[in-house]
Amino acid sequence: CCSVNSPEARAFLEQCDCDIFFVFGTGLISPATYRIPSRGSINAHGGLLPNYRGLDTNLWAAYLGRPEDMRITIHKVEKHFDTGAVLASAELPIVRDLNLVSIRYYTTLALLELARNVLTKIQDGHVVGIQQKGDGKYFGPLPFVKKLIANYKIKNFVANRSAGDC
């Protein structure tokens, strides 16, 4: 298969006549591609921006001892990873069975709901992007052993939350 940035993919996407591209879990998208739709492109990001750019960001937050930083964000796509204006952000729902195995599931569910709200606001003309301040850090994949440590910290964080929060 070809890259979304290839001339063939761009030609196909230009024929779609879309108002907006919605991306999630993709590699870097070139300006020639993300600028195709009339309203630009937005990304669903499982992390707090600008502090946690890149991959496994909620796991990194837990691993680094800041599970309260586990968030979800919808932002505009720009030239560099996770640098576009933030359209919405919310806490990652903290549920009783949140752990290494379930975090992607709950992140995806929460992002889909947040994206639905953002897309509705875009359609109604009621969304304003807030430019990110600060450089933040780009995180790569969290190594497996560190994922186990993050899992332990997530479980402790959830256990220490009151029953009413979960």
Side-chain angles (χ1 to χ4, degrees):
C1 185
C2 61
S3 163
V4 70
N5 296 313
S6 72
E8 298 85 6
R10 283 196 309 271
F12 172 79
L13 292 169
E14 287 169 351
Q15 293 174 356
C16 293
D17 192 32
C18 295
D19 292 332
I20 199 162
F21 288 165
F22 176 80
V23 299
F24 180 40
T26 185
L28 194 61
I29 301 173
S30 71
T33 300
Y34 71 73
R35 290 181 180 150
I36 290 172
S38 60
R39 294 186 174 190
S41 299
I42 60 174
N43 180 50
H45 178 68
L48 171 65
L49 291 177
N51 301 21
Y52 300 87
R53 295 187 172 122
L55 307 171
D56 291 337
T57 51
N58 283 326
L59 293 175
W60 276 107
Y63 173 77
L64 294 171
R66 295 188 295 271
E68 66 279 0
D69 283 354
M70 295 187 301
R71 297 187 66 86
I72 56 172
T73 305
I74 305 292
H75 67 91
K76 290 186 175 186
V77 175
E78 287 189 358
K79 184 177 178 180
H80 301 288
F81 278 115
D82 303 327
T83 58
V86 172
L87 303 175
S89 185
E91 289 183 359
L92 180 67
I94 305 303
V95 295
R96 291 186 198 280
D97 66 335
L98 187 66
N99 59 44
L100 179 62
V101 174
S102 67
I103 194 167
R104 288 184 195 257
Y105 169 76
Y106 288 114
T107 298
T108 301
L109 288 181
L111 279 167
L112 288 172
E113 180 63 23
L114 189 61
R116 184 185 65 78
N117 293 336
V118 168
L119 289 169
T120 299
K121 288 179 181 179
I122 289 172
Q123 182 179 9
D124 295 342
H126 301 312
V127 69
V128 176
I130 299 171
Q131 291 300 319
Q132 296 183 42
K133 294 179 181 168
D135 293 332
K137 179 177 179 183
Y138 179 84
F139 291 88
L142 187 65
F144 182 72
V145 172
K146 291 182 179 182
K147 284 183 180 181
L148 296 177
I149 295 168
N151 186 50
Y152 174 79
K153 291 181 177 184
I154 290 168
K155 287 182 175 185
N156 281 343
F157 179 68
V158 171
N160 289 327
R161 298 281 296 234
S162 69
D165 289 345
C166 295

